Amino acid sequence: MTTQASILQPADQLLRRVLIGNSIFSMSAGVLMLAFATPIADFMGVATALPSILIGVGLLPFAGGVYYIASRPRIDSSQAKGVMALDLAWVLGSGILLLTDAFSLTSSGRTVIAIVAIVVLDFAIGQWLGLRRLRGLQG
């Protein structure tokens, strides 16, 4: 007799994977911002390393919180929505920064900000899709 294995994926698999990816990306960015604050500031055209340091310090607890949310046996959808809102706020802030050119960034700096904003937007979209899937399967 042959048995056919049925592969049942948890309803929250997409959301969990996106949150973990977000956490890894945020942690990596935070560590890099702290480890290379001055070279990053120079590359971006910012006069001081302080913004890199502050962003790096802010990203570390964010990444830890996102990982905590993703690692729970059951993902709290309100917490996942909070992460998505913070990601969208990052994207909005990046857009405002690029439109106003508040720091007179180099073209390379502007490009980096745009690329990171696109990555963060992708996380927000993935989280939204994961939340929709979760809601759809829960009734």
Side-chain angles (χ1 to χ4, degrees), residues 10 14 26 29 40 45 57 59-60 69 96 112 118 122 131:
L14 173 62
S26 299
I40 289 171
V57 167
L59 284 172
L60 297 180
I69 292 165
I96 291 169
V112 168
I118 290 167
D122 287 343
L131 284 163

Side-chain angles (χ1 to χ4, degrees), residues 14-64:
L14 173 62
L15 181 57
R16 189 175 306 279
R17 285 182 176 175
V18 173
L19 288 169
I20 289 171
N22 190 338
S23 175
I24 292 168
F25 180 78
S26 299
M27 181 65 69
S28 300
V31 168
L32 287 172
M33 296 289 281
L34 290 172
F36 302 103
T38 300
I40 289 171
D42 293 342
F43 177 79
M44 303 284 286
V46 180
T48 176
L50 185 60
S52 295
I53 293 168
L54 293 175
I55 292 168
V57 167
L59 284 172
L60 297 180
F62 172 79

